[in-house]
Amino acid sequence: MIVLDTQAWLWWLHAPEKIPARTRKLVQQGEAATKLLVSSISVWEIATKNRLGKLSLPMDMRNWFAAARAYPGIAIEPLAADDAIASTELPEPFHKDPADRIIVAMARRYGALLVTSDEKIRAYRHVRTSW
């Protein structure tokens, strides 16, 4: 199982060449096995950034999401209460971004590899990452 963080998901859908070749191969294998997960908090992040004009999507948000969730091999994971709680109990030090904390908590719950370009997450020794 592989968890894609928000940026990795966007790049996977729109610019997979931005993901390093070794990690891109892992994601392709996860996609083929229908083992890619994206947290619903990533949907919230994308919608928020789109509304604020910080992220441009190729179509309106609702149509984009309909297309994104239909992408093969990816499941959108609802926000679990356990992940919300676990995000507040992560071993410190870790940065304070609530969305990143929830994504990390979800990856830890599944024992999954987290694909992320975020250096702070990659430096966090309490979750397995790839980039």
Side-chain angles (χ1 to χ4, degrees):
M1 183 158 313
I2 296 172
V3 172
L4 302 178
D5 81 350
T6 306
Q7 185 64 58
W9 184 34
L10 283 166
W11 281 344
W12 185 244
L13 296 175
H14 300 289
E17 69 279 359
K18 291 186 176 184
I19 298 173
R22 179 180 57 82
T23 299
R24 193 168 56 243
K25 185 173 182 170
L26 290 172
V27 175
Q28 287 169 336
Q29 292 167 349
E31 179 184 73
T34 316
K35 293 192 175 187
L36 297 179
L37 288 179
V38 172
S39 173
S40 59
I41 200 73
S42 292
V43 177
W44 173 83
E45 274 191 295
I46 292 166
T48 299
K49 288 180 181 182
N50 180 253
R51 179 164 172 90
L52 295 173
K54 294 181 178 182
L55 174 67
S56 178
L57 296 173
M59 59 193 77
D60 71 84
M61 183 63 205
R62 289 195 181 273
N63 286 326
W64 179 87
F65 180 62
R69 74 174 171 212
Y71 201 83
I74 296 177
I76 309 298
E77 178 83 4
L79 179 58
D82 286 339
D83 292 340
I85 294 167
S87 75
T88 70
E89 300 172 338
L90 292 173
E92 298 297 342
F94 189 57
H95 69 89
K96 304 300 180 204
D97 182 281
D100 286 348
R101 293 181 75 92
I102 288 170
I103 292 167
V104 166
M106 185 180 94
R108 287 170 45 100
R109 175 169 53 93
Y110 281 109
L113 180 70
L114 175 57
V115 172
T116 182
S117 64
D118 186 310
E119 291 181 12
K120 291 177 184 175
I121 296 173
R122 290 189 352 242
Y124 187 60
R125 64 184 180 95
H126 301 284
V127 67
R128 290 183 312 121
T129 62
S130 180
W131 190 245

